[in-house]
Amino acid sequence: MNTVMVIEDEEAIATLLSYNLEKEGYKVIVVSNGANAVLEVDKHRPSVIILDWMLPEISGVEICKLIRSKPEIKAIPIIMLTAKSQEEDKVKGLIAGADDYVTKPFSVPELMARVKTNMRRAPLFEEKEKFISFKDISMDLVEKKVRRGDVNIHLSPTEFRLLKMLVKEPGKVFSREVLLKSVWGENIFVESRTVDVHIRRLRSSLNKYGPDYIRTVRANGYAIDEIIENNEEKDCDSDCE
Ligand code: CA
């Protein structure tokens, strides 16, 4: 799943951005403290960074320079958010190494379009984790192998990506739209029903060897979770629309 890091001290803007980026299918990490920003970038290795110009303690421009000076993270596209619209400041932002800039107040669709464009230039980091697991299901992200207990499970690449999204964030409910965008990509036309078809295949491959941990959240999507009795009929809670 592509991650966008939002470095912004204003909570209202950070919340607005998180909401919209998550709707687009991105994983979002918000950093509100400029002093931690470079460390957090190094730790999470996001695909794209949205960086506010005006931060307490350290300016966005300084953070940008620091990121560009570190070989491991310097290729990450940075979109600078700035309240200053003067030409001179824009130029300074670009000199500091930002790939793009958006002036506040910004239009959300425009910023989302910029994120998408910059996402294409995101560096391919090696998977930080080689292995992830949930209960007895374990995934080797490098070798692209899945095991359940001692059994090797053969999955199609699509089912592998679906399972990886679920296993990376157990308990989180992913809508069909988010799964579509993340697993199939933005520009491929597939119906949301396609997700159900692949989840069904995933279940039939996995469930021969153990209980069904994939939870259907009615009218919403899917999660991987502790086994729930009466899986399909779970009551709607706050997750439901
Ligand atoms: Ca700010």
Side-chain angles (χ1 to χ4, degrees), residues 8-10 52 54-55 104:
E8 167 65 271
D9 60 311
E10 282 156 85
D52 186 31
M54 302 291 284
L55 291 163
K104 285 182 185 174

Side-chain angles (χ1 to χ4, degrees), residues 28-48:
V28 183
I29 298 166
V30 175
V31 177
S32 55
N33 180 344
N36 296 340
V38 179
L39 273 178
E40 292 293 314
V41 172
D42 197 30
K43 186 171 147 199
H44 297 284
R45 308 267 164 111
S47 306
V48 170

Side-chain angles (χ1 to χ4, degrees), residues 136 138 146-154 205-206 208-209:
D136 58 342
S138 56
V146 182
R147 291 174 74 81
R148 179 140 208 197
D150 296 330
V151 188
N152 284 315
I153 312 268
H154 297 284
S205 304
L206 288 173
K208 280 180 228 157
Y209 308 101

Side-chain angles (χ1 to χ4, degrees), residues 179-204:
L179 291 171
L180 271 179
K181 280 186 183 169
S182 307
V183 172
W184 279 266
E186 288 280 348
N187 302 316
I188 295 161
F189 180 77
V190 272
E191 291 177 63
S192 61
R193 235 178 2 165
T194 311
V195 177
D196 301 333
V197 172
H198 284 272
I199 290 278
R200 202 176 308 139
R201 286 187 199 154
L202 187 54
R203 276 187 167 134
S204 80

